[in-house]
């Protein structure tokens, strides 16, 4: 039995992850933490503990894997606490600065196994493969990444859009992508760049489109999440996979490679 704890237990994702974990054999939720709602009962009878008690909660519950869906700064601190205790990790939180990413990686390396992904859905992980293939096949086409999310989303552009840009840059090689332009306004000619555009509104769960436009044609590759359960089930699958793996940082592609 893999014992999992969850930071952000009362959030939109946390709530769904608890439901998904309950459906999966071999996983047991042993602790849930949040900065709000301490003492509230979670499905399964566990009481929410205050986020400040993370270290004690991980020790007392003998957690194998911590799943974090919180906010950037909290994710870095929570991952460092887990890594120090040798607790494996699944991190879904987005919006981390390059410095925060580096600090998290440094804390993890050599101490625990972690799956870090800005998007745990199966579809987006296939989307990234298709985008890489299309970018190479249509070398020289103009590329724009357009994402849309609900009005409560804190970070922009989305972590998935940034990972999409990285995927394209890696596939094309650094010389092919000179810069990334976030939105456009005023007089400017398009250069050898990737344009990134963030749309925010209503309850959109998460859309990502890559547009490749050339002379006389364009190709659009699009992923739309209909429900957050696509992310929650992937995160739970990653938790089952990562428990007891060799210390290191893994991607969702590593999880999906082992069917
Ligand atoms: N990787 C993915 O597949 C994926 C999918 C959806 C959302 N996300 C990301 O996950 C994060 C959470 O998204 P959400 O929609 O659930 O947000 P949310 O605001 O609904 O939930 C976040 C929860 O974290 C709690 N929290 C804040 N600081 C904390 C701390 N120090 N310790 C414990 N809990 C803390 C908040 O009180 C809240 O309950 C965001 O960064 C979002 O972009 C990732």
């Amino acid at each position: 039995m893999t014992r999992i704890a969850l930071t952000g237990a009362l959030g939109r994702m946390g709530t769904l992850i608890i439901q998904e974990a309950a459906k999966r054999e071999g996983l047991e939720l042993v602790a849930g933490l949040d900065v709000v709602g301490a003492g509230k009962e979670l499905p399964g009878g566990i009481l929410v503990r205050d986020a400040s008690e993370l270290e004690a909660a991980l020790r007392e519950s003998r957690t194998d894997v911590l799943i974090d869906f919180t906010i950037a700064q909290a994710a870095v601190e929570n991952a460092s606490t887990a890594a120090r205790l040798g607790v494996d990790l699944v991190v879904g939180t987005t919006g981390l600065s390059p410095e925060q990413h580096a600090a998290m990686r440094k804390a993890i390396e050599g101490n625990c196994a972690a799956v870090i992904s800005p998007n745990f859905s199966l579809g987006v992980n296939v989307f990234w493969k298709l985008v890489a293939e299309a970018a190479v096949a249509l070398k020289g086409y103009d590329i724009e990444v357009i994402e849309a999310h609900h009005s409560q989303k804190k970070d922009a552009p989305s972590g998935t859009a940034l990972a999409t840009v990285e995927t394209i840059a890696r596939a094309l090689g650094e010389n092919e992508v000179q810069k990334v332009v976030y939105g456009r306004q005023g007089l400017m000619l398009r250069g050898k760049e990737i344009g990134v555009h963030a749309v925010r509104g209503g309850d959109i769960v998460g859309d990502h489109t890559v547009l490749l436009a050339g002379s006389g044609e364009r190709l659009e590759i699009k992923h739309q999440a209909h429900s957050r359960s696509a992310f929650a089930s992937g995160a739970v699958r990653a938790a089952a996979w990562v428990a007891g793996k060799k210390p290191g940082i893994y991607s969702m592609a590593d999880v999906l490679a082992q069917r």
Side-chain angles (χ1 to χ4, degrees):
M1 188 64 80
T2 300
R3 299 167 69 79
I4 60 166
L6 181 59
T7 35
L10 294 176
R12 279 177 289 252
M13 284 302 300
T15 303
L16 283 172
I17 287 168
I18 292 171
Q19 289 169 15
E20 290 294 331
K23 288 188 214 158
R24 195 174 177 110
E25 270 188 34
L27 283 190
E28 186 188 0
L29 180 73
V30 293
L33 298 105
D34 207 303
V35 285
V36 293
K40 201 172 160 189
E41 188 172 338
L42 295 170
I46 299 218
L47 301 184
V48 174
R49 292 183 67 166
D50 187 78
S52 60
E53 298 171 24
L54 179 61
E55 179 161 350
L58 293 176
R59 283 184 195 282
E60 288 160 20
S61 62
R62 290 176 290 114
T63 294
D64 297 308
V65 180
L66 173 68
I67 305 180
D68 184 280
F69 279 76
T70 57
I71 53 169
Q73 186 53 40
V76 178
E77 288 161 15
N78 296 342
S80 303
T81 303
R84 193 161 18 90
L85 300 179
V87 171
D88 293 327
L89 276 161
V90 170
V91 181
T93 304
T94 61
L96 277 71
S97 65
E99 294 75 26
Q100 287 173 321
H101 266 296
M104 184 184 281
R105 296 179 82 88
K106 194 167 170 226
I108 290 169
E109 269 159 19
N111 292 318
C112 69
V115 181
I116 304 177
S117 178
N119 198 309
F120 280 97
S121 83
L122 186 55
V124 154
N125 283 273
V126 175
F127 165 86
W128 281 326
K129 281 191 194 159
L130 298 175
V131 165
E133 194 180 328
V136 171
L138 301 178
K139 213 168 192 162
Y141 278 36
D142 294 331
I143 304 179
E144 301 275 310
V145 177
I146 305 126
E147 58 99 335
H149 281 88
H150 54 92
S151 56
Q152 303 303 306
K153 184 161 177 64
K154 294 188 179 83
D155 52 317
S158 69
T160 302
L162 295 175
T164 303
V165 170
E166 276 169 30
T167 301
I168 295 166
R170 231 186 351 261
L172 288 178
E174 275 176 20
N175 294 338
E176 291 299 319
V177 182
Q178 285 177 347
K179 61 177 175 173
V180 181
V181 172
Y182 298 95
R184 292 193 186 85
Q185 192 181 21
L187 295 174
M188 62 191 308
L189 277 180
R190 194 183 202 289
K192 208 171 170 191
E193 65 202 31
I194 299 178
V196 180
H197 311 277
V199 176
R200 292 287 174 268
D203 58 359
I204 301 170
V205 174
D207 294 354
H208 292 88
T209 304
V210 171
L211 181 153
L212 300 107
S215 176
E217 64 168 356
R218 72 169 180 266
L219 170 67
E220 289 184 25
I221 304 172
K222 181 170 197 155
H223 177 269
Q224 289 183 288
H226 301 169
S227 150
R228 286 183 182 81
S229 62
F231 313 129
S233 60
V236 165
R237 182 171 169 174
W241 182 89
V242 80
K245 282 271 177 308
K246 211 171 122 226
I249 296 176
Y250 300 91
S251 70
M252 197 55 192
D254 296 316
V255 177
L256 297 173
Q258 264 181 27
R259 293 206 160 249

